[in-house]
Amino acid sequence: MVTEPGPAVPRHVAIVMDGNGRWANKRLMPRVVGHKFGVDALVNIIHASAARGIEYLTVFAFSSENWKRPQDEVSGLMNLVMVAVSKYLARMAEDGVRIRIIGDRSQVSEKVRAAWDHAETLTAGNRRITVSVAFNYGGRWDVVQACRRAMEAGLSPAELDEQVLSRYMSLSYAPDPDLFIRTGGEVRISNFLLWQTAYTELYFTDCLWPDFDERALDAALADYARRDRRFGRVKTDVDAGGQPRALPVAD
Ligand code: FPP
């Protein structure tokens, strides 16, 4: 039976890297230590994703709402950007990783902005895997900034449709995510890629992000490979002549 299996490996994986704080608390360490180990897990998953043929990886590193966290945690996370860029960027660049940042840069410090600019510039020519880091990002912000830019470009209401607006979204250079992973046991999207995940397969795991390793990634990919993606259509089967025929299956 043919049921739109789709490619076994997703082209684009989006991840909410949740659970760093609890991971650190369990070890009686400050939350920011959990984020530090979270960066190590991220670097590992970037290289593992590239090795598995994933073309786009988009990760939620700092949400528009994360400013409400304790000041020392916010500054710890900002500091980690500089540490991560100086510690890991060269190897990523060598490994064919292209880094893109999505989110509102106007609110972050000059130092953080410079680190992200450097990461983007150094890796601009790479295409093995594109890693988009959502930083000071919110899904609703993304829709609003896209509308605003479309209006600034002089589009009339009649010219605006889904395809046109997509060109103004932060991830306009990437296909929509095939697979969304959230670690840490919570089962929600938390204002991540609201526009882009309309038909994305969702996968939730209790694993805390610093523990998310290649085996955990493979478990998510195996689960994805079993999904039947229909994009709002009905299931199809083939008739005796090998032609697709519709099956009456509810979405
Ligand atoms: C959620 O865990 C995680 C974050 C808010 C930050 C995620 C950031 C990283 C993994 C580091 C990436 C950083 C760079 C510089 C690329 P949580 O703190 O909400 O954990 P909890 O739910 O256990 O409290």
Side-chain angles (χ1 to χ4, degrees):
M1 188 170 71
V2 178
T3 56
E4 297 220 24
V9 176
R11 283 189 75 195
H12 185 172
V13 176
I15 309 185
V16 174
M17 308 178 288
D18 197 12
N20 297 342
R22 277 164 288 161
W23 187 92
N25 284 346
K26 273 172 46 179
R27 291 162 178 79
L28 306 177
M29 295 192 289
R31 292 174 58 80
V32 73
V33 175
H35 297 313
K36 186 177 163 296
F37 279 86
V39 172
D40 294 343
L42 173 58
V43 171
N44 192 27
I45 289 303
I46 289 172
H47 293 293
S49 298
R52 282 154 181 76
I54 293 166
E55 295 168 64
Y56 297 88
L57 182 69
T58 302
V59 295
F60 211 177
F62 192 86
S63 81
S64 327
E65 289 74 35
N66 285 158
W67 295 106
K68 297 174 196 150
R69 294 189 171 212
Q71 183 50 42
D72 64 330
E73 185 173 348
V74 171
S75 53
L77 275 164
M78 296 297 158
N79 205 39
L80 261 186
V81 174
M82 272 79 79
V83 172
V85 166
S86 69
K87 192 167 167 194
Y88 295 112
L89 185 64
R91 198 189 133 208
M92 287 206 207
E94 274 171 27
D95 204 23
V97 177
R98 173 169 67 147
I99 307 276
R100 297 289 299 257
I101 310 304
I102 58 170
D104 183 359
R105 292 187 207 203
S106 68
Q107 305 295 314
V108 301
S109 72
E110 193 59 49
K111 262 172 143 176
V112 171
R113 218 172 15 242
W116 285 141
D117 288 349
H118 173 56
E120 283 188 325
T121 308
L122 191 78
T123 61
N126 288 342
R127 285 296 179 276
R128 186 165 176 231
I129 184 169
T130 297
V131 176
S132 303
V133 180
F135 201 86
N136 195 23
Y137 176 90
R140 290 179 176 174
W141 166 84
D142 200 357
V143 175
V144 171
Q145 70 78 28
C147 294
R148 204 172 264 167
R149 291 201 300 131
M151 290 166 87
E152 282 166 3
L155 261 78
S156 71
E159 286 172 303
L160 198 65
D161 60 20
E162 292 179 18
Q163 263 188 336
V164 171
L165 192 60
S166 287
R167 287 187 218 134
Y168 293 91
M169 302 296 297
S170 303
L171 282 178
S172 57
Y173 52 85
D176 283 346
D178 302 292
L179 174 63
F180 167 107
I181 299 173
R182 182 175 185 143
T183 61
E186 308 291 353
V187 186
R188 52 177 170 259
I189 296 188
S190 295
N191 200 18
F192 195 24
L193 304 166
L194 299 180
W195 172 270
Q196 299 87 344
T197 50
Y199 284 101
T200 301
E201 297 296 324
L202 307 180
Y203 178 86
F204 299 94
T205 169
D206 289 338
C207 177
L208 303 176
W209 175 250
D211 292 328
F212 194 84
D213 56 12
E214 293 187 29
R215 268 184 60 193
L217 175 66
D218 285 337
L221 296 178
D223 193 278
Y224 170 81
R226 288 193 294 271
R227 303 283 177 97
D228 170 25
R229 304 189 75 193
R230 295 202 291 279
F231 300 95
R233 297 192 292 265
V234 291
K235 254 185 179 177
T236 56
D237 199 352
V238 286
D239 63 19
Q243 294 303 308
R245 121 188 119 191
L247 288 177
V249 177
D251 198 4

